[in-house]
Amino acid sequence: MKRSMLLIGLTLLGLAQAQKTVSLVHSGAITGPTSDVGGPYAAAIEDYCKYANEQKLIPGYTLNCIVRDDQYQNPNAQRILEEALDRAKPAVYLGYATGAMLALKSLIQEVKLPAIPASAHIGLIDPPDNTYIFLPTSSYSEQVVALLEHIAREKKGAKVALVVHPSAFGRAPVEDARKAAAQLGLSIVDVQENGGSLDNTALLRNLEQKGAEYIVHQNVAGPVANILKDAKRLGLDKKIKQLGAIYTGGNDLIRLAGDAAEGYLWASSYYTLEEDTPGMRLHRELAAKNNRGTLGQSHNYTAGLLAAAIAVEAMKRAAQRFGRIDNVTFYDALVGMNGPNAFNPGFVVKTANSPEIDFTKSEQTGGEGLRVLEVKGGKFVPITQPFTSALFRKVHYGK
C-alpha cells in the first residue's frame, strides 16, 4: 500500500514538474484617455487567460497572463514591456495604443517579439520594422475607406467631414480617406479633431456652413455620443448623417447617446452580442461568469477576447509543432495560420472568399471582413453582408 502511494506521489510530482509556464503580456489604458475601450479590452484578456488555464487549451502549459495599466502613456507602455522582456520572456505582446505601438515598433522588431495590438493603425504593419506586428482585424484606414464607399453608393458627390481623435490613432486614416474620396467623387469639406467636448455646437454649425452631409468619425464612443446628442438638440440629425469606424460604435455608443444614436452607421468586423456564434456565446458566458457588467456588454470586450484567443491558439500550435513555446515558435505558428489551418473562433465576420482569421509573413491583417451596421430601435443591425473595401489597397499600396 505504501509503495503504491509512493508511486502515485512520484507520478503526480512528475506531472507537476512537466507542466511548463508560458507568458503573455498586455499593457493598455485601463484608466486614462480611451479607457472606455481599454477597460473592457483588458478585462477580456484576463478572462480569456483564466478560461484557457481552466480548459487546458495549451496542453502541458500554464498561461501566465500579465495585464498592466499604462494609462495611455507611451513611457509607461515601454517600461512595462521592457520589464516583461527581462523577467517573464513572453511569447507574445498584446499591445494597445497607436502612439505606444508606433514608439515600440523598432524594439519589437529588435527583440523579434510577435505583437497583436488593439490599435489598427496601418502604419504598424507597413515597412520598416513591420515583421512582428499583426492586426487582428482590418485597419482603421480600410474601415474608413469602406465607409466612404458606402457613402458614394448612397449619394454621388456627397460632401463629407472627418471628425477624429486628437492623436495618432485619430489621424491614422485621414490621408487614405482623402485619396479614396477623390477617386469616389466625394468632397472632404473639413477635418476636425475632437477629444470629447461637452458642447459641440460650434463644431456642428461650422460643418453645417461648409455643407457637410456626412460626418465620418475616427474616435472612441464618448466624443461621438456627445456630438450625436448635440446634433439632435440642434435639429441637425436629419440633415447630417453620421458614421464611424470600429471604436466609435457598439453598445457603448447606444448606452451613452441614447435615442440620439438612432440611424448611426458603424463599420465593424465583430459580430454583435446578440448573434449566435461560438465566439459570441463564449463572450456572454465569460462576461457573466466574471461579473463584468457594462464592460461585458461592450464590443471592446469581444476585441480583447479575440486578441487573447489568437495568442492562445498560436501557443497551442507552437507546442504541438515544435515542442516548445517561445517568441520564435509563436511567430512560425502564427504565420502558418492560413488556408486549411485558418482560425475560426466565431468573433468576427468572414467573407465568402476569406476565413475569419488568417496570417502569413506578408499578410499581417487577420480578419479582413467587415459589415456596415445601423442603429435601429436601440440596436446595431447589419445593413450589408460581410465585405472588404474595393479601393483601400489601391489608395494605400497603389495596387
Side-chain angles (χ1 to χ4, degrees), residues 157-342:
K159 295 182 178 180
V160 181
L162 304 180
V163 177
V164 305
H165 191 266
S167 66
F169 151 65
R171 300 176 194 115
V174 172
E175 183 177 348
D176 284 330
R178 289 188 185 279
K179 293 177 183 175
Q183 296 207 22
L184 291 165
L186 303 175
S187 299
I188 301 291
V189 297
D190 202 356
V191 178
Q192 291 284 335
E193 297 191 355
N194 187 295
S197 174
L198 295 178
D199 186 345
N200 298 281
T201 301
L203 169 73
L204 288 164
R205 290 299 187 197
N206 178 44
L207 297 182
E208 180 190 23
Q209 288 179 358
K210 293 181 177 179
E213 299 164 286
Y214 294 86
I215 297 175
V216 175
H217 295 274
Q218 164 63 4
N219 214 316
V220 292
V224 177
N226 290 340
I227 292 174
L228 289 172
K229 288 189 285 189
D230 286 339
K232 185 176 180 65
R233 172 175 57 81
L234 296 168
L236 295 176
D237 54 323
K238 306 299 182 188
K239 192 172 182 181
I240 303 176
K241 199 167 186 67
Q242 303 198 46
L243 56 171
I246 177 66
Y247 289 122
T248 68
N251 291 337
D252 298 327
L253 180 73
I254 294 171
R255 176 172 52 82
L256 293 169
D259 60 2
E262 284 293 310
Y264 184 79
L265 300 180
W266 178 42
S268 175
S269 299
Y270 296 96
Y271 288 114
T272 65
L273 189 57
E274 295 78 17
E275 290 182 278
D276 188 27
T277 70
M280 300 317 296
R281 288 195 291 273
L282 182 62
H283 176 135
R284 295 190 288 270
E285 175 190 333
L286 294 184
K289 181 180 179 181
N290 293 286
N291 299 311
R292 289 303 188 181
T294 56
L295 296 182
Q297 298 295 310
S298 171
H299 74 283
N300 300 316
Y301 187 89
T302 315
L305 290 180
L306 174 65
I310 293 171
V312 168
E313 180 68 15
M315 288 177 177
K316 182 182 77 174
R317 295 183 185 192
Q320 290 172 341
R321 285 179 57 192
F322 306 107
R324 72 180 200 282
I325 307 173
D326 55 29
N327 59 316
V328 175
T329 59
F330 184 98
Y331 173 80
D332 287 340
L334 192 63
V335 298
M337 193 179 279
N338 54 63
N341 298 316

